[in-house]
């Protein structure tokens, strides 16, 4: 069964600290993996997208990694800010089908001062 | 302003009524999508469209109808609303199949 599982479900950190969010998937065939940030009451916003051949991609303080062999990805947030408080959603795309995005349920991150 | 907008942002209706959610994008993107987001579930695809007059079912299409007569608009209609359709609905668009999708800010729909 095609699934995307994220951990932890929720996370609380202090401002300025780093954190890492995990994503494991069992999607086949694999095309690309995406990370989205969703603020409360808003739509998801794309952070990164990685294909099979890419194992790291950065977007400012966000760095995503991909291990296609173990089917794992992580999103590392450096020097967290209050504005990083949001849900982070891992999405895996199956090859060839634009409609075949498998969404994880997200990690809810709260950054406190 | 350029972007993707959904209306209304909030809607309360009764079971059995017809309701239409609107989605408008200004990028002339070919692909448009409708998702629903429920607690405990990832976003689930309802319908998508690859171009004007071309639509196809997603994972959870039952009870929904879409149309796309113009590239920029992609309305979603619940023909006879049921309580199980209470959800947050997101519209998205993209110009290229493997590019990130751009999401609207959602419509929160409550069916009493």
């Amino acid at each position: 069964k095609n699934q995307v599982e994220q951990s932890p479900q929720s996370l609380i950190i202090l401002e300025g600290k780093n954190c890492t969010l995990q994503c494991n998937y069992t999607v086949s065939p694999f095309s690309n993996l995406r990370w989205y940030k969703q603020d409360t009451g808003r739509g998801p916003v794309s952070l990164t997208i990685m294909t099979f051949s890419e194992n790291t991609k950065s977007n400012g303080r966000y760095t995503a990694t991909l291990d296609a062999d173990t089917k794992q990805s992580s999103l590392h947030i450096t020097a967290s800010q209050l504005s990083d408080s949001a849900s982070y959603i891992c999405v895996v795309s199956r090859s060839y089908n634009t409609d075949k995005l498998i969404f994880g349920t997200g990690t809810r991150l709260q950054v406190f001062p | 302003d350029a972007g993707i907008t959904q209306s209304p942002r909030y809607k309360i209706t009764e079971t059995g009524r017809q309701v239409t959610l609107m989605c408008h994008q200004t990028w002339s993107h070919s692909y448009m999508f409708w998702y629903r987001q429920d607690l405990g579930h990832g976003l689930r695809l309802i319908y998508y469209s690859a171009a004007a007059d071309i639509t196809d079912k997603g994972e959870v299409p039952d009870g929904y109808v879409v149309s796309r007569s113009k590239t920029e608009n992609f309305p979603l209609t619940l023909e006879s609303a049921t309580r199980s359709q209470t959800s947050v609905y997101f519209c998205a668009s993209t110009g290229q199949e493997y590019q990130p999708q751009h999401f609207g800010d959602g419509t929160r729909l409550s069916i009493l």
Side-chain angles (χ1 to χ4, degrees):
Chain A
K1 183 179 179 182
N2 292 304
Q3 282 186 313
V4 176
E5 296 184 348
Q6 296 186 242
S7 62
Q9 278 191 318
S10 62
L11 182 62
I12 297 174
I13 62 173
L14 293 177
E15 187 179 14
K17 298 296 186 182
N18 304 335
C19 68
T20 300
L21 314 180
Q22 300 291 342
C23 173
N24 295 337
Y25 62 93
T26 57
V27 177
S28 181
F30 173 86
S31 174
N32 59 71
L33 186 143
R34 311 161 186 218
W35 282 95
Y36 281 86
K37 177 187 179 188
Q38 184 176 20
D39 293 317
T40 300
R42 304 296 299 272
V45 174
S46 177
L47 293 175
T48 64
I49 179 169
M50 291 182 291
T51 60
F52 182 88
S53 60
E54 297 173 295
N55 53 26
T56 302
K57 183 162 278 189
S58 293
N59 179 356
R61 294 180 296 101
Y62 301 101
T63 299
T65 64
L66 172 63
D67 185 334
D69 291 332
T70 62
K71 299 187 176 181
Q72 295 179 324
S73 177
S74 65
L75 181 69
H76 186 74
I77 303 174
T78 302
S80 61
Q81 301 176 358
L82 298 178
S83 59
D84 292 331
S85 295
S87 288
Y88 291 84
I89 302 172
C90 176
V91 186
V92 178
S93 176
R94 294 173 62 186
S95 296
Y96 313 127
N97 296 303
T98 188
D99 60 314
K100 293 296 188 284
L101 295 184
I102 312 297
F103 287 78
T105 55
T107 292
R108 175 96 179 126
L109 174 66
Q110 293 179 275
V111 181
F112 285 100
Chain B
D1 289 347
I4 183 165
T5 55
Q6 294 184 235
S7 61
R9 287 297 312 277
Y10 304 91
K11 176 75 176 178
I12 299 174
T13 190
E14 297 176 337
T15 56
R17 290 192 179 267
Q18 178 176 288
V19 59
T20 297
L21 310 184
M22 305 301 293
C23 179
H24 175 79
Q25 52 103 357
T26 60
W27 292 301
S28 298
H29 282 167
S30 297
Y31 297 92
M32 295 189 73
F33 308 84
W34 274 106
Y35 294 93
R36 60 179 290 173
Q37 187 174 41
D38 303 292
L39 204 61
H41 290 274
L43 280 111
R44 291 181 290 175
L45 182 66
I46 303 170
Y47 269 95
Y48 69 101
S49 169
D53 297 322
I54 300 175
T55 62
D56 210 343
K57 295 178 180 179
E59 181 186 355
V60 289
D62 293 343
Y64 303 95
V65 174
V66 294
S67 62
R68 193 159 176 215
S69 57
K70 293 184 177 181
T71 299
E72 61 267 29
N73 296 325
F74 191 37
L76 175 74
T77 297
L78 288 67
E79 292 191 303
S80 179
T82 65
R83 289 195 181 91
S84 64
Q85 293 176 309
T86 291
S87 186
V88 182
Y89 290 85
F90 287 99
C91 179
S93 72
T94 184
Q96 300 291 330
E97 195 166 356
Y98 298 114
Q99 292 299 311
Q101 296 178 8
H102 300 269
F103 286 81
D105 282 335
T107 294
R108 185 174 293 273
L109 177 63
S110 296
I111 300 166
L112 306 178

